[in-house]
Amino acid sequence: PIRKVPKSKIVIPTRAQFAKLVEAIRQADIRAKPAGDLVELLGYSGMRLGEATNLTWEDVDWARNAFTVTGGERGTKNHGVRVVPLFPALQELLKRICGDTNPAPTARVIPIDNAKRAIITACQKAGLPPFMHHDLRHYFCSNAIEAGIDFKVIAGWLGHKDGGYLVAKTYGPLRDEHSFEMAKRDRKSVV
């Protein structure tokens, strides 16, 4: 019989860990600014790395308060284009990145392709688990679930075409802190 190798457990940053990660990256030096922006973009949007690094200013629709995920020339993993709301933290980040400049519509929002080295260094310096780009997608998804957003809606934002099955399966076991907070709310109604 072939023994299955268990999948490694997903490590989802807490809100405090995410804030600490961003702060540690931003404190590194001025060259780390785009890395900090990318980390925040991933955490506030739920995009995959390639989707986030290919986001252009013309993909941001301020009037509709939304952004379009195209994945650039390579496209998205599921070969689809999706429109996602500009959540408040994401809107604030994009305004901060844009600043007083008037970037070209085809200019990328984030000028780098990844923040791997900055994330690894920041995690080590801040005493955090070794987070990676994709963990920030998990962070976004977990926050959305904890906010009470329907799995099907979250799946659409993430570009999943399964109606929320993968979101429920992957993120059903939420961060422990949220689980314990929910249990404190009303223990009488559980059993």
Side-chain angles (χ1 to χ4, degrees):
I2 298 174
R3 198 172 74 186
K4 278 190 172 182
V5 177
K7 281 188 175 180
S8 58
K9 186 176 186 268
I10 295 172
V11 180
I12 303 167
T14 64
R15 291 176 193 270
Q17 288 173 327
F18 178 76
K20 197 172 181 182
L21 173 63
V22 171
E23 182 182 346
I25 291 172
R26 294 201 180 280
Q27 287 177 347
D29 66 35
I30 193 68
R31 293 173 298 174
K33 183 188 180 314
D37 292 342
L38 177 56
V39 165
E40 284 192 80
L41 180 62
L42 292 168
Y44 299 151
S45 70
M47 287 187 281
R48 293 177 182 89
L49 177 62
E51 296 168 344
T53 58
N54 282 290
L55 185 72
T56 63
W57 288 107
E58 65 189 351
D59 296 328
V60 179
D61 187 341
W62 299 107
R64 280 185 67 200
N65 203 27
F67 65 100
T68 303
V69 181
T70 67
E73 288 182 22
R74 299 179 100 185
T76 63
K77 181 178 178 181
N78 294 328
H79 313 292
V81 172
R82 64 189 185 273
V83 177
V84 182
L86 273 178
F87 308 102
L90 178 57
Q91 189 175 48
E92 184 181 310
L93 171 69
L94 292 174
K95 286 181 179 176
R96 192 172 65 229
I97 292 170
C98 185
D100 294 333
T101 66
N102 191 13
T106 57
R108 291 182 355 177
V109 172
I110 303 293
I112 60 174
D113 292 325
N114 71 70
K116 185 176 179 176
R117 195 184 301 137
I119 293 171
I120 291 170
T121 301
C123 286
Q124 289 171 345
K125 285 185 177 180
L128 295 169
F131 296 122
M132 296 307 299
H133 295 106
H134 205 72
D135 296 324
L136 304 171
R137 182 171 164 88
H138 298 317
Y139 171 79
F140 169 85
C141 187
S142 295
N143 287 338
I145 290 170
E146 290 173 4
I149 298 168
D150 182 79
F151 288 173
K152 188 172 182 173
V153 172
I154 297 168
W157 292 344
L158 295 174
H160 295 176
K161 296 182 178 183
D162 62 4
Y165 173 76
L166 184 61
V167 170
K169 179 182 167 200
T170 305
Y171 302 99
L174 293 172
R175 294 181 282 214
D176 287 344
E177 66 185 40
H178 179 72
S179 175
F180 292 125
E181 280 304 309
M182 293 297 100
K184 286 181 193 174
R185 280 192 175 176
D186 188 4
R187 291 175 187 246
K188 294 175 192 169
S189 66
V190 175
V191 180

